[in-house]
Amino acid sequence: MAESFNERQLIADGFERAYTVLEWYDGPRKGLAVISGVPHYFEGWDHDPADAADEYVVWPAGEPVVAMEREQWAIYVRYEVSEAGREEHPANGGIHARFDELTSLLTPYRQAPDGARRLVGEVRLDDGDRYRPDGGDLWFRWCPVSESVAEH
């Protein structure tokens, strides 16, 4: 995933932007991304760093929830681009009241519901900054689990 791509080319190749990354371990594990033009949560844990794509469960997120997620992401980004130390990170809790409030409000929406779809997400990074209020540098191209990423 070290290579970065131009945003225009990503869109032309069928990739869609991720709004937030809630967890990252050898790649994106949980967050909020666009799937076929609609915001969805995604969650996936079986990751092989050698693979270009991973399987995720995905479920839609409504507009009010997306607004809260983007607000919390903006708080997170302000920390990440600041000179603040790790002990001042809002995700530690008790540091930023609104961040904590949003975490509490969003927790139920971040759990995969029964019937969540399974998709394969191919990941690319754009050539911009990692931490931006618009969602950063992460993009996905989604396909059904039965399709191979190589078919795109």
Side-chain angles (χ1 to χ4, degrees), residues 8 10-11 15 17 19 21 35-36 57 60-61 65 74-75 92-93 97 101 103-104 111 114 122-123 128 133 136 138:
R8 188 173 303 161
L10 288 167
I11 293 168
F15 284 83
R17 183 181 298 282
Y19 289 132
V21 177
I35 300 175
S36 299
V57 293
V65 172
I75 294 167
N92 289 335
E101 178 184 22
T103 297
S104 178
Q111 307 306 311
D114 291 339
E122 181 182 359
V123 173
L138 181 63

Side-chain angles (χ1 to χ4, degrees), residues 41 65 68-69 72 90-91 93 96-111:
Y41 281 103
V65 172
M68 287 189 292
E69 287 289 1
Q72 190 176 52
H96 192 286
R98 181 62 177 158
F99 191 94
D100 294 346
E101 178 184 22
L102 288 166
T103 297
S104 178
L105 292 169
L106 290 165
T107 295
Y109 299 101
R110 292 174 172 172
Q111 307 306 311

Side-chain angles (χ1 to χ4, degrees), residues 2-118:
E3 187 177 358
S4 63
F5 297 84
N6 173 283
E7 184 174 326
R8 188 173 303 161
Q9 186 62 50
L10 288 167
I11 293 168
D13 289 344
F15 284 83
E16 297 174 285
R17 183 181 298 282
Y19 289 132
T20 67
V21 177
L22 301 170
E23 295 183 28
W24 184 283
Y25 181 78
D26 287 337
R29 300 294 98 221
K30 191 171 189 174
L32 184 69
V34 178
I35 300 175
S36 299
V38 178
H40 284 70
Y41 281 103
F42 65 87
E43 182 174 12
W45 299 108
D46 296 327
H47 180 69
D48 180 351
D51 288 342
D54 288 313
E55 199 170 301
Y56 295 88
V57 293
V58 301
W59 61 100
E63 286 184 39
V65 172
V66 172
M68 287 189 292
E69 287 289 1
R70 294 187 80 170
E71 179 184 355
Q72 190 176 52
W73 177 254
I75 294 167
Y76 182 86
V77 166
R78 280 193 300 274
Y79 164 79
E80 288 293 339
V81 299
S82 75
E83 298 295 322
R86 296 299 300 161
E87 67 281 351
E88 298 172 74
H89 197 292
N92 289 335
I95 306 294
H96 192 286
R98 181 62 177 158
F99 191 94
D100 294 346
E101 178 184 22
L102 288 166
T103 297
S104 178
L105 292 169
L106 290 165
T107 295
Y109 299 101
R110 292 174 172 172
Q111 307 306 311
D114 291 339
R117 292 187 302 156
R118 294 166 55 99

Side-chain angles (χ1 to χ4, degrees), residues 43 53-58 116-121 141-152:
E43 182 174 12
D54 288 313
E55 199 170 301
Y56 295 88
V57 293
V58 301
R117 292 187 302 156
R118 294 166 55 99
L119 295 175
V120 172
R141 179 166 56 193
W142 299 96
C143 66
V145 172
S146 60
E147 283 186 33
S148 164
V149 173
E151 294 175 17
H152 286 281

